[in-house]
Amino acid sequence: MTQFNTDSGITIKEVYTEESKMQELPGQFPYTRGVQPNMYRGRLWTMRQYAGFSTAEESNKRYHFLLQQGTTGLSVAFDLPTQIGYDSDHELSDGEVGKVGVAIDSLRDIEILFDGIKLEQITTSMTINASASILLAMYIALAKKQGADLKKISGTIQNDILKEYAARGTYIYPPKASMRIITDIFEYCSKEVPKWNTISISGYHIREAGSTAVQEIAFTLSNGKAYVQAAIAKGLDIDVFGERLSFFFNAHNDFFEEIAKFRAARRMWAKIMKELGATNPKAMMLRFHTQTGGSTLTAQQPQNNIVRVALQAMAAVLGGTQSLHTNGFDEALSLPTEAAASIALRTQQLIAFESGVTKTVDPLGGSFFVEELTSQVEAEAWHYIEKIDAMGGSVNATENGYIQNEIAKASYLYQLGIESSEKVIIGVNKFTAEEKNDTPLLRVDDSIRLTQTKKLIELKKERNNSLVNDLLQKITTAAKGTDNLMPLIVEAVEQYATLGEIADAMRTVFGEYKS
């Protein structure tokens, strides 16, 4: 058994407890102290770097660069048209193609995106929601073309539509139709790609929209509860699909509150799942990815962001994250350059291999402050969840605007604090300085849309358009009924139906959501 020591040679125990009180242990219900008994002593968190911009060719180069630098999992950012189900040649895509992520129009783009990368040998996270079924289908189709064992491919689709209505806005269909697609994905993946995490229930964007830490976990866990209830109503087994649920949280600036937030969220989710009928311990474990706070990055004195990101990343690790993305210091100004992405990854590696915090499990467990703060965060979050339950759950609370209004109020108060200097932001309202910003920036120009449009013209000349049209009609017919949509979507992308065409086939039945 590996022995862990401090730099002075002091042996580090696997976990510290106050033996007379027999405190809760890591890896045991309700998992406050972590989901694994040995946590990072056994395996470090997955070091992901969220990346994607311009064309599939350009993003593929960045992925190979990150893998060479030591990243252990890929995390794909998609451009806005891809997120809301439009091909690059659609009139509404003008000015947005390749800007905030990579442009994906068909399986051909996915083939280029992962060129030289074996899907069976990596885990991939895809930040995609309204069009998640289509992007997942493309990933599965590529895995099949690579000859991969679908039972072995692993990764995550965000697939969390409820927070889109409340905080982010990249929805396509109305809530009930979206929930139907999500539960179709749950059912399909449980049989075809059982190691795939079918949803990453996201508090990240709720926090980016201005929520508090308490609201972040309260609204996220309420959304999670709604997804579980919808899956149970479809006849799915909570002990089976529950294992494939994961979460996505923000790591913000208030160091100890963030740690307490992560610990409280684990404890609360275990209780929620148990109450909903789960008996499988793995179905009660809240596993989560963390990204450092994008909204905390400042354009002023941008190198200060390196320190902010390091502190946020440390909070995520001390809070027990399973996966982590660290933001580039330049992201308040542009997409991250290679140099900034490299520093962000090195930040994780420094925490993992030099700080010593991974040598014992839940090193802050038993701290009077952290334990009390964990309980206080939990109590406040339950208060919100009880309110939402009284409204009939997250779908109703979102449709009547309650969650959006609570986030807006918190965001307003936070901004007031900054403007009054009650809330200190270094370089913005304290310790400011005249500066010339010479940070190198990464820009994506509008010619990308022309490149993607040419690809689409060539694709439609080469594919079997009659077969594609038949498959699109089958998707429309299935959308009117109750058959699972995923097998048909997979078949359509394999014949190079485009993302926009498949999204439109469902739009004709489900319509579009208007806030």
Side-chain angles (χ1 to χ4, degrees), residues 80-149:
L80 189 58
T82 303
Q83 293 182 49
I84 55 177
Y86 293 123
D87 289 334
S88 297
D89 60 357
H90 194 283
E91 61 182 1
L92 292 179
S93 300
D94 192 16
E96 294 293 342
V97 177
K99 290 294 177 71
V100 298
V102 62
I104 299 294
D105 294 318
S106 73
L107 175 59
R108 187 159 292 174
D109 287 322
I110 288 288
E111 290 167 353
I112 296 166
L113 187 67
F114 292 101
D115 185 40
I117 300 169
K118 293 293 184 184
L119 302 190
E120 203 174 303
Q121 296 172 7
I122 60 161
T123 64
T124 303
S125 173
M126 296 192 281
T127 303
I128 195 74
N129 296 281
S131 53
S133 59
I134 306 168
L135 272 298
L136 175 59
M138 290 180 184
Y139 194 87
I140 290 169
L142 176 59
K144 288 165 74 173
K145 287 191 77 170
Q146 288 186 355
D149 181 350

Side-chain angles (χ1 to χ4, degrees), residues 363-377:
L364 293 180
S367 157
F368 296 133
F369 177 42
V370 171
E371 296 296 355
E372 177 65 20
L373 191 55
T374 298
S375 296
Q376 289 174 322
V377 168

Side-chain angles (χ1 to χ4, degrees), residues 88-312:
S88 297
D89 60 357
H90 194 283
E91 61 182 1
L92 292 179
S93 300
D94 192 16
E96 294 293 342
V97 177
K99 290 294 177 71
V100 298
V102 62
I104 299 294
D105 294 318
S106 73
L107 175 59
R108 187 159 292 174
D109 287 322
I110 288 288
E111 290 167 353
I112 296 166
L113 187 67
F114 292 101
D115 185 40
I117 300 169
K118 293 293 184 184
L119 302 190
E120 203 174 303
Q121 296 172 7
I122 60 161
T123 64
T124 303
S125 173
M126 296 192 281
T127 303
I128 195 74
N129 296 281
S131 53
S133 59
I134 306 168
L135 272 298
L136 175 59
M138 290 180 184
Y139 194 87
I140 290 169
L142 176 59
K144 288 165 74 173
K145 287 191 77 170
Q146 288 186 355
D149 181 350
L150 295 187
K151 306 293 185 198
K152 293 180 180 177
I153 69 163
S154 62
T156 305
I157 42 171
Q158 193 163 103
N159 199 27
D160 172 12
I161 202 64
L162 290 176
K163 65 94 175 51
E164 296 295 327
Y165 303 117
R168 192 161 174 262
T170 63
Y171 42 71
I172 302 175
Y173 315 111
K176 288 183 175 61
S178 296
M179 293 293 277
R180 180 260 177 98
I181 296 169
I182 287 168
T183 53
D184 279 359
I185 292 170
F186 286 179
E187 183 179 52
Y188 176 84
C189 289
S190 68
K191 297 170 185 173
E192 302 298 328
V193 279
K195 291 184 72 175
W196 193 267
N197 297 318
T198 49
I199 193 167
S200 177
I201 306 158
S202 176
Y204 185 84
H205 305 96
I206 290 170
R207 192 62 176 282
E208 290 291 283
S211 81
T212 65
V214 167
Q215 289 172 338
E216 180 187 352
I217 62 168
F219 299 155
T220 304
L221 297 185
S222 284
N223 287 347
K225 190 174 179 180
Y227 293 126
V228 171
Q229 289 168 329
I232 291 171
K234 194 178 176 71
L236 302 182
D237 185 344
I238 190 172
D239 282 329
V240 176
F241 76 79
E243 286 193 35
R244 306 295 358 136
L245 305 178
S246 66
F247 289 78
F248 175 24
F249 291 122
N250 200 303
H252 220 266
N253 282 337
D254 193 329
F255 188 72
F256 287 106
E257 184 179 51
E258 293 301 291
I259 295 164
K261 176 189 77 179
F262 299 132
R263 300 172 92 249
R266 266 196 301 274
R267 189 155 75 200
M268 294 173 72
W269 185 244
K271 293 174 183 176
I272 289 169
M273 289 296 276
K274 190 172 185 179
E275 287 173 3
L276 290 172
T279 57
N280 176 4
K282 289 185 177 179
M284 293 184 252
M285 293 177 183
L286 183 147
R287 297 166 298 113
F288 66 100
H289 170 71
T290 310
Q291 181 173 338
T292 56
S295 62
T296 70
L297 303 176
T298 63
Q300 300 92 331
Q301 301 177 25
Q303 290 186 332
N304 291 347
N305 294 327
I306 297 172
V307 182
R308 289 189 180 99
V309 167
L311 288 168
Q312 293 164 5

Side-chain angles (χ1 to χ4, degrees), residues 36-49:
Q36 298 296 336
N38 63 349
M39 285 301 288
Y40 307 133
R41 288 165 67 105
R43 178 186 173 186
L44 292 173
W45 62 91
T46 301
M47 298 182 193
R48 298 189 188 279
Q49 287 305 112

Side-chain angles (χ1 to χ4, degrees), residues 309-355:
V309 167
L311 288 168
Q312 293 164 5
M314 182 68 88
V317 170
L318 291 173
T321 193
Q322 277 64 65
S323 171
L324 179 60
H325 164 82
T326 32
N327 290 328
F329 74 88
D330 54 0
E331 288 190 62
L333 300 164
S334 73
L335 292 166
T337 59
E338 279 194 0
S342 182
I343 290 170
L345 177 58
R346 293 288 181 258
T347 301
Q348 294 198 48
Q349 291 165 338
L350 283 161
I351 292 171
F353 297 106
E354 293 190 20
S355 72

Side-chain angles (χ1 to χ4, degrees), residues 402-459:
Y402 170 73
I403 291 175
Q404 297 94 309
N405 288 338
E406 289 300 302
I407 295 169
K409 286 179 199 172
S411 178
Y412 175 69
L413 291 173
Y414 188 84
Q415 187 59 34
L416 278 183
I418 293 172
E419 291 179 10
S420 68
S421 295
E422 182 182 341
K423 178 70 181 173
V424 173
I425 307 294
I426 304 301
V428 175
N429 61 13
K430 197 173 183 68
F431 307 118
T432 57
E434 289 292 325
E435 58 182 322
K436 180 183 178 182
N437 197 331
D438 55 2
T439 304
L441 304 179
L442 176 63
R443 298 293 189 200
V444 177
D445 65 52
D446 290 331
S447 67
I448 301 304
R449 184 169 186 243
L450 295 175
T451 302
Q452 289 297 112
T453 299
K454 287 177 184 176
K455 284 186 190 175
L456 283 165
I457 292 168
E458 291 170 8
L459 176 77

